[in-house]
Amino acid sequence: MDEQFGLDTVAAEQAVVSVFEQIVAVLARRADAAIDDAALLRLANTLFTAFARAGEDGLTAEQIRAACAAFPDEVIENRLGVLRKLGAIQPAFDKPYQREYRASFTSYVSMLFVQRMLARGGQSELHQLLTMEKLRLEGGQGTAEEALEVVVGITTALRLLVAELVALTVGGTVEALRERAPLLWNAKSLIDQASAVHEILLEFWPELSRMCGELRSAIAAYEDASTNASARLMTAAGTTRALNLLPPEMWRRFARRATVDELAAVLADQIFDAPSPWHDVADLTEVVAGRPQPTSSRLTPPRSRVPDGDEQPSHERSDAEAERLVGVAEEVLGGADSVAVEQLLAGTDWVTARRVLADLVAASNNDQLGYRLTWSGPVQVRVGSVPSWLTPGVFERERRLA
C-alpha cells in the first residue's frame, strides 16, 4: 500500500512538472534560462498564431520557419529546440518519422497570463483567486484540508503584496511606485473579497481560528500599505498637471524608452519659443540654475478691496487691455475675416513674431472680443526660417463687432 501511494504521489508530481514545463517554454531562451528580449516573446506569439491557423494538421519545421521568416534563422532554430524540449511543441501524430508538430494550448495560455501579469502586476489574479475560493467554500463546501490551503495561500499572497508596497513606499522612488501602481487598483474591493472569504472560513471551520487571525492581520496590513502608497503618489502628483513639473526621472525614463515617433509626437500641435541660436549655452545653464525655487508654504498677501491712489480699478485695466487687443487683431486682419498665422510671421524676426502670437492668443482667449485662433496639422520644421518650428494656424473673426 505504501509503495502504491508513493508511486501515485510521484506520478502526480511528474504531471505537475510536465505542465510547468509547458508554461515556462514560451519564456525560456534555453531550457534553463528566461527570456530577456522582447523579440523572443514576439516570435513565440507569431509561432502560436501560425499554429492556430494551421488547425489540427499542425506545421512542419519548414512551415514554422516560413511563418517566422521575419526573425533571424539562428533565433528560430534556438526557439524550436527549446519549445520541443519543454513540450510547447509536440509531435502531431504518434508515428515514426513524422514531420508535423502541434502547439500546446497550455503554453499559449501561459503567455497570455504572463503578459497580463506584466501589465497589471498580478493584482487581478488575486481578485480572481478570491472570487473562485469564495464560490468554492460557500455553504461549507470542501474539506478542512482545502480550507487550510485557501487560508494559507491568501495570507501568503497578501503578505508578499504588503512587503512589496511597503518597500516601494518607504525606500523606493516615486517613479518605481508609479510603475507598480496596478498593485493599488481596486484595493477596497480586494480587501472586501478577502474579508468575505475569511468570514466563510471562520464560520464553517472554527478550528482554523489561529490561521484566520493571521489572515485578518494580513488584510489589515494591506489596507494600511495601500493607503500609505496612494498618499505618497497623490503627494507627488501635486495639484498641477504642468509638464515642466513632472519628476525628472519620468522625463529621463521616457527619453530612454520612447521610439522616434513617440518623441516626435511630443511636439505635435505645439508652438513654442525655442532658445535663440545666439544665446550661449553657459548663459542658459546659469539662468536655469539660478531660477527661484517655488515654495508651497508661501501664501499670497491679502490685498485691500479699495484701489490705491494712482492704481486703476481692475475693470478699467481689463477694458484698456481689451481695446488694445482689438486694435492688434484688426491690424493683422486688415479688413479680412481671417488670416493665416504663417502669413503674419513671414519676414519678421522671432521677437516680433512672439509678441504678435502672444497678443493673438490673448484675443482668442477673451470670449467677449469675438476672435478665434485655431491650429491644424502637425508641427512643421523649417530650417533657416523664422520661426523654425511652426504649426499651421488661422486667426479669424467669429463675428463682426458692432
Side-chain angles (χ1 to χ4, degrees):
M1 178 63 69
D2 293 339
E3 180 181 0
Q4 183 62 39
F5 177 77
L7 291 176
D8 290 342
T9 303
V10 171
E13 291 177 349
Q14 186 58 41
V16 171
V17 171
S18 175
V19 172
F20 180 75
E21 286 180 342
Q22 296 178 50
I23 291 175
V24 302
V26 292
L27 300 178
R29 180 189 294 276
R30 297 181 301 275
D32 56 351
I35 279 182
D36 57 4
D37 186 352
L40 295 180
L41 197 58
R42 292 195 298 270
L43 171 58
N45 192 47
T46 301
L47 185 60
F48 282 110
T49 301
F51 272 106
R53 292 174 178 171
E56 65 276 8
D57 294 334
L59 295 174
T60 63
E62 291 76 13
Q63 290 172 326
I64 292 174
R65 295 186 183 92
C68 302
F71 300 89
D73 292 339
E74 61 273 12
V75 175
I76 299 175
E77 290 298 330
N78 178 277
R79 178 63 16 191
L80 288 179
V82 172
L83 296 179
R84 280 195 294 259
K85 183 174 182 179
L86 297 181
I89 295 179
Q90 304 169 1
F93 306 102
D94 186 14
K95 62 180 182 180
Y97 310 109
Q98 70 86 32
R99 301 175 63 247
E100 291 78 16
Y101 294 90
R102 61 176 177 81
S104 164
F105 165 79
T106 303
S107 295
Y108 180 68
V109 172
S110 70
M111 186 170 65
L112 299 180
F113 166 75
V114 170
Q115 290 173 333
R116 188 173 70 247
M117 288 280 288
L118 293 175
R120 302 183 181 180
Q123 203 230 39
S124 60
E125 273 61 38
L126 186 53
H127 277 283
Q128 295 175 15
L129 172 65
L130 289 170
T131 301
M132 291 187 296
E133 298 298 3
K134 182 175 180 293
L135 293 174
R136 184 160 70 110
L137 298 176
E138 276 183 331
Q141 303 178 32
T143 64
E145 290 76 11
E146 292 174 339
L148 177 61
E149 180 182 352
V150 170
V151 70
V152 170
I154 296 176
T155 302
T156 302
L158 287 175
R159 283 176 174 172
L160 291 174
L161 184 54
V162 168
E164 184 170 357
L165 283 177
V166 171
L168 289 171
T169 305
V170 176
T173 63
V174 174
E175 178 64 17
L177 181 59
R178 189 178 290 112
E179 283 187 356
R180 304 295 290 161
L183 296 178
L184 304 173
W185 291 349
N186 299 321
K188 185 179 184 305
S189 174
L190 191 150
I191 292 170
D192 292 342
Q193 287 180 293
S195 300
V197 173
H198 164 266
E199 292 176 3
I200 295 174
L201 290 167
L202 199 57
E203 178 183 359
F204 293 100
W205 293 277
E207 64 272 19
L208 298 178
S209 58
R210 186 182 65 82
M211 295 301 301
C212 287
E214 295 186 10
L215 176 57
R216 286 196 303 274
S217 176
I219 294 173
Y222 173 68
E223 184 173 9
D224 292 341
S226 60
T227 300
N228 294 335
S230 300
R232 186 182 181 193
L233 287 178
M234 293 173 63
T235 302
T239 58
T240 179
R241 293 298 179 267
L243 294 179
N244 61 330
L245 298 181
L246 289 177
E249 59 265 22
M250 177 174 288
W251 285 110
R252 290 195 295 268
R253 187 178 186 84
F254 174 76
R256 287 197 301 265
R257 294 190 174 186
T259 63
V260 175
D261 293 338
E262 289 172 339
L263 289 173
V266 175
L267 301 176
D269 302 327
Q270 300 291 327
I271 183 167
F272 57 91
D273 183 9
S276 302
W278 55 85
H279 288 167
D280 185 71
V281 176
D283 294 337
L284 290 175
T285 304
E286 182 179 355
V287 170
V288 173
R291 74 190 189 283
Q293 298 294 330
T295 57
S296 57
S297 59
R298 183 177 179 181
L299 300 177
T300 303
R303 296 183 62 88
S304 173
R305 296 182 179 274
V306 180
D308 296 335
D310 298 332
E311 183 182 3
Q312 290 181 320
S314 59
H315 66 87
E316 294 183 7
R317 292 198 303 272
S318 300
D319 292 343
E321 177 64 12
E323 292 177 2
R324 188 187 71 81
L325 292 176
V326 169
V328 173
E330 292 301 326
E331 181 180 353
V332 300
L333 287 173
D337 288 334
S338 64
V339 62
V341 174
E342 183 177 2
Q343 178 182 342
L344 294 177
L345 303 184
T348 63
D349 61 276
W350 177 236
V351 176
T352 303
R354 179 174 56 189
R355 184 172 61 253
V356 172
L357 281 174
D359 289 337
L360 296 185
V361 171
S364 176
N365 290 338
N366 193 323
D367 297 334
Q368 299 179 357
L369 298 186
Y371 300 102
R372 180 173 59 190
L373 181 62
T374 57
W375 304 101
S376 62
V379 176
Q380 298 177 1
V381 181
R382 311 185 309 168
V383 180
S385 301
V386 177
S388 56
W389 299 81
L390 180 67
T391 301
V394 175
F395 182 74
E396 58 187 351
R397 182 185 290 107
E398 289 186 319
R399 55 180 172 82
R400 290 283 182 179
L401 297 177

